[in-house]
Amino acid sequence: MTALRPERDSSGVPYDEQYASYGEPGAFEQPGAFEAAVDHLADPLTDPLPGQRGQHPSPWFRSGPAEPQPQPHPQLQEQEWYDPEGYARDWQVEQQQQQQQQQQQQQPQEPTYEELYGAYAPRRTAPPVYEPIAEAAQPQTQPHTQPPVDDETVGLRTSDTRRIVEPSAYEPEPERPTGGRAARRKAAKKGAPQQPASTAPAAPLSRVEARRAERARKPSAGAVASRGIGELFITVGVLMLLFVTYQLWWTNIRANQQADGAASDLQERWANGKGKPGAFEPGQGFGLLHIPRLDVVVPIAEGIDKSKVLDRGMVGHYNEGGTKTPMPDAKKGNFAVAGHRNTHGEPFRYINQLEPGDPIVVETQDKYYVYKMASILPQTQPSNVSVIGPVPPGSGFTKPGRYITLTTCTPEFTSKYRMIVWGKMVEERPRSKGKPSALVN
């Protein structure tokens, strides 16, 4: 059995006395009674000071005449706030939205800027246009994630020879001619500056295409062979140029040094009483040849060996076999010598410039032998040894005498033919009497 509520609380005051101020149960039905009761129960923190209750009404209800409230629409008053079919309708809308999102995800999406260009070019976009209303209505899509790129793909794509050219988003429009039809025709005839056609950006290469482009960059076997042959020709050309430089320039320097050394040694032996006329060994110097018109002073050595005599810048005396000729001191005979016309000192390079009567002097240890140029044979075969005979044919000499013959190669820089210069002795002068007038003047 449930115990009845006690008639009084712990304070000992009956409930009827405690709640007597609230009036009878039906007292709140009177106008303004409920507001007065609530105003009586206001929060002490917000309760106005004594005497200001009318100025600062309770925050819950305000005493005084009630403010007019807007009347709801009659149809809204009749409609009940609770909608029993609302849950089912909301569920159907949610299902439709999910289906639309799935269809959008299944449809192929256009490639984004990052997929097309990646890191090749900076993205240049126009300022965004904000549409608050339309933005709220659009369904939310999943953010696009760029697939990871490995090092091999990056290397293959960067090796492509093509370049992605991004069209400028802010290209200025070409200027149009103003005026009528005649002005436009005149501008067209003059040739208005044409706007360069914008090139569409090339799509990025796949891995297979990048490998093909890399293989295409490698040179073919024919290109490698032609390149090797070209390099070989260049090397051979450089070597030939160096050889020509050596032959035309360095050999002259070296031969002149050796000839000057041989002349100094010869004069030193003469000063010491050595080098008497007689038989000489091959390559041994025994005299000096002077050609004043050409300013030539060159040692004369025994023999015509190239390495021992001619290539050392000296002239050689014919003294072997069928080409043996007498020495200058012989009472009769043709003293014949040979020398280079080009390279290795080239002592006989300009003998073609000698004229009849020009002196040619042979100096020995005890005498000077002075000859005068008589005639010249511009060209003959190398096998024609009669030009150094006792009475050379074509020289103009008719009987034996004391002659001199100078032989050299011709044309220049070749050895196909021989050039011959002949001279006749006009004076034999001892060294004790001094130099002949041909060397003094």
Side-chain angles (χ1 to χ4, degrees):
M1 183 175 181
T2 306
L4 298 176
R5 187 183 67 178
E7 299 297 332
R8 61 187 73 231
D9 57 1
S10 60
S11 62
V13 181
Y15 288 102
D16 297 339
E17 297 179 2
Q18 293 181 8
Y19 299 99
S21 60
Y22 297 103
E24 296 300 329
F28 294 115
E29 298 178 359
Q30 299 177 5
F34 183 74
E35 287 81 354
V38 174
D39 193 14
H40 179 73
L41 296 176
D43 190 358
L45 297 177
T46 61
D47 193 26
L49 297 175
Q52 298 180 355
R53 183 176 299 277
Q55 300 176 3
H56 301 280
S58 172
W60 299 94
F61 295 97
R62 296 185 180 182
S63 59
E67 298 179 359
Q69 300 293 331
Q71 296 295 331
H73 197 273
Q75 295 180 1
L76 297 178
Q77 290 179 357
E78 295 176 1
Q79 184 180 1
E80 188 177 2
W81 69 271
Y82 174 70
D83 187 6
E85 298 178 357
Y87 177 78
R89 185 170 58 254
D90 296 342
W91 181 80
Q92 292 178 1
V93 172
E94 184 178 357
Q95 291 294 327
Q96 292 178 0
Q97 292 179 356
Q98 291 181 0
Q99 292 178 2
Q100 292 178 359
Q101 292 180 1
Q102 291 179 0
Q103 291 177 1
Q104 292 178 357
Q105 292 179 359
Q106 292 177 0
Q107 292 178 357
Q109 298 180 359
E110 296 182 358
T112 61
Y113 184 87
E114 288 77 6
E115 293 179 350
L116 286 175
Y117 303 105
Y120 293 106
R123 185 171 185 178
R124 184 181 299 175
T125 58
V129 179
Y130 295 96
E131 297 180 0
I133 299 176
E135 185 177 357
Q138 292 179 357
Q140 300 292 333
T141 58
Q142 296 294 333
H144 176 72
T145 58
Q146 186 177 2
V149 182
D150 55 340
D151 296 339
E152 183 179 1
T153 305
V154 172
L156 291 173
R157 288 183 179 180
T158 54
S159 64
D160 183 21
T161 56
R162 294 182 291 176
R163 297 291 183 268
I164 299 176
V165 180
E166 181 184 3
S168 175
Y170 305 101
E171 293 181 354
E173 295 183 358
E175 297 181 359
R176 298 181 179 179
T178 59
R181 184 179 299 176
R184 290 196 297 271
R185 288 179 179 176
K186 186 180 295 184
K189 289 181 179 179
K190 290 183 178 179
Q194 298 180 357
Q195 189 72 12
S198 60
T199 58
L205 297 177
S206 63
R207 182 174 296 184
V208 176
E209 294 176 347
R211 288 178 178 174
R212 290 177 180 175
E214 182 67 19
R215 287 195 298 268
R217 290 183 58 190
K218 295 181 179 179
S220 61
V224 174
S226 61
R227 186 181 303 171
I229 294 174
E231 293 178 355
L232 178 61
F233 285 165
I234 292 173
T235 303
V236 172
V238 171
L239 293 177
M240 292 180 65
L241 180 62
L242 293 176
F243 177 75
V244 171
T245 304
Y246 167 78
Q247 284 289 103
L248 300 181
W249 179 68
W250 179 250
T251 57
N252 290 334
I253 295 176
R254 182 62 177 168
N256 289 331
Q257 293 176 351
Q258 293 175 346
D260 292 342
S264 299
D265 294 341
L266 185 60
Q267 291 177 352
E268 185 178 355
R269 290 201 306 268
W270 289 346
N272 296 330
K274 299 179 180 179
K276 294 290 184 181
F280 300 98
E281 297 179 358
Q284 182 180 358
F286 61 88
L288 296 176
L289 178 66
H290 300 265
I291 306 178
R293 180 178 178 84
L294 305 180
D295 195 18
V296 171
V297 179
V298 58
I300 304 173
E302 190 71 12
I304 55 173
D305 186 81
K306 290 186 60 176
S307 60
K308 294 181 179 181
V309 178
L310 301 182
D311 289 350
R312 297 173 65 88
M314 298 184 290
V315 295
H317 172 228
Y318 287 94
N319 70 335
E320 295 180 357
T323 60
K324 186 175 182 180
T325 59
M327 298 295 288
D329 56 351
K331 297 300 180 181
K332 288 184 180 181
N334 186 7
F335 176 66
V337 295
H340 280 302
R341 191 177 184 188
N342 298 110
T343 71
H344 298 91
E346 50 193 24
F348 286 171
R349 180 170 186 178
Y350 300 107
I351 61 172
N352 59 326
Q353 298 180 5
L354 292 176
E355 297 178 358
D358 290 336
I360 302 173
V361 180
V362 175
E363 178 184 1
T364 61
Q365 183 177 4
D366 53 355
K367 289 183 179 181
Y368 291 100
Y369 301 94
V370 181
Y371 301 86
K372 286 193 175 181
M373 188 266 189
S375 59
I376 183 172
L377 180 62
Q379 179 176 307
T380 187
Q381 294 293 333
S383 59
N384 185 11
V385 296
S386 62
V387 294
I388 60 175
V391 183
S395 61
F397 305 139
T398 58
K399 57 182 180 179
R402 304 180 71 175
Y403 308 124
I404 186 172
T405 303
L406 310 180
T407 64
T408 188
C409 299
T410 192
E412 290 192 54
F413 305 104
T414 64
S415 58
K416 186 176 182 180
Y417 301 103
R418 299 291 184 266
M419 177 184 291
I420 311 299
V421 173
W422 291 289
K424 183 178 181 180
M425 183 181 296
V426 294
E427 180 182 3
E428 181 177 353
R429 186 183 184 89
R431 291 178 64 91
S432 59
K433 294 184 178 181
K435 294 182 179 181
S437 59
L439 300 180
V440 173
N441 300 329

